[in-house]
């Protein structure tokens, strides 16, 4: 009878530990991840993490079933990313490193993908810092293409110039604006001037180092937004 009571007590304690771990551990891990990402990305306006693990005790070994991260207004180098959305599954994180405040290191991941949302206004700020401090042109994003509209002085005349082009992934951490068409108001551009404008406005967006070594895969332009999709390279997994 005493043994049965002890067994019942042990079962009750074990059940209580499971319940508490399921309630407490996920939020504890979320808080640590948020704190470390905020430290790694100073200036980010919002950092939110959501983790799922069943049972919750597996989090003690760094095993996460699913993770969702929502970061807003994230400065990556000279570029401000309006939103950085990350989702992953089957992750193993370095718990000692996380607890000691030395960052978020993902040792393994079955899948880890991210979407970087760059607003038209932030893209203009980046272009102005890279191409011309006078801010004599603007970038518009519409229907899968980018259009730069500005003014140039040609023989004492101020003329509107239009540069139409596309964005392309040029490397694991960079996106290039490729001018394809250049037109000038009521004027035919000499070939030399056309080449000069094309070279000057061929700007590369240096995304820099993302939190989890994500490599850029593809991109898409929507009205007023540049969407860049990234994933964890296979060799990192």
């Amino acid at each position: 009878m005493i043994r049965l009571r002890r067994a019942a007590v042990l079962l009750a304690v074990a059940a209580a530990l499971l319940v508490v771990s399921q309630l407490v551990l996920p939020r504890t891990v979320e808080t640590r991840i948020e704190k470390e990402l905020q430290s790694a990305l100073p200036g980010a306006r919002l950092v939110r993490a959501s983790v799922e693990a069943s049972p919750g005790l597996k989090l003690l070994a760094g095993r996460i079933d699913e993770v969702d991260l929502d970061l807003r207004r994230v400065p990556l180098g000279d570029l401000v990313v309006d939103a950085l959305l990350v989702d992953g599954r089957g992750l193993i994180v370095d718990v000692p490193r996380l607890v000691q405040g030395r960052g978020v290191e993902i040792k393994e991941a079955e899948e880890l993908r991210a979407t970087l949302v760059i607003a038209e206004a932030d893209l203009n700020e980046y272009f102005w810092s890279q191409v011309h401090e006078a801010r004599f042109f603007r970038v518009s994003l519409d229907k899968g293409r980018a259009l730069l509209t500005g003014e140039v002085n040609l023989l004492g005349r101020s003329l509107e110039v239009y540069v139409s082009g596309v964005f392309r992934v040029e490397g694991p951490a960079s996106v290039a604006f490729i001018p394809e068409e250049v037109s000038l108001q009521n004027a035919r551009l000499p070939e030399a001037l056309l080449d000069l404008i094309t070279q000057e406005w061929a700007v590369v967006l240096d995304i820099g180092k993302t939190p989890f070594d994500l490599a850029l895969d593809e991109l898409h332009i929507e009205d007023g937004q540049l969407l860049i999709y990234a994933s964890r390279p296979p060799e990192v997994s």
Side-chain angles (χ1 to χ4, degrees), residues 107-167:
K107 294 182 175 180
E108 297 180 22
E110 293 179 14
E111 184 178 73
L112 190 65
R113 301 189 63 84
T115 301
L116 293 83
V117 182
I118 301 175
E120 188 175 279
D122 295 317
L123 194 59
N124 273 290
E125 291 288 345
Y126 184 85
F127 266 72
W128 291 333
S129 70
Q130 299 296 312
V131 178
H132 203 295
E133 293 294 345
R135 303 191 177 198
F136 69 96
F137 67 90
R138 290 195 62 82
V139 182
S140 300
L141 302 174
D142 183 37
K143 298 179 181 178
R145 296 182 65 81
L147 177 65
L148 281 68
T149 306
E151 293 184 355
V152 296
N153 189 289
L154 185 62
L155 301 177
R157 294 180 58 194
S158 180
L159 301 174
E160 289 189 358
V161 62
Y162 306 92
V163 181
S164 178
V166 297
F167 286 97

Side-chain angles (χ1 to χ4, degrees), residues 31-47 69 71-77 79 84 97-98 101-106 207-213:
T31 301
R32 291 303 310 177
I33 290 176
E34 291 171 356
K35 183 177 180 180
E36 292 306 307
L37 289 179
Q38 189 73 67
S39 297
L41 299 167
R45 187 172 299 174
L46 172 72
V47 178
L69 305 174
L71 297 86
R72 301 301 171 108
R73 307 301 297 165
V74 181
L76 295 179
L79 179 67
L84 173 57
R97 187 183 186 92
L98 183 64
R102 295 189 291 118
V104 183
E105 180 180 342
I106 298 177
I207 304 300
K209 185 176 176 60
T210 54
F212 308 117
D213 293 321

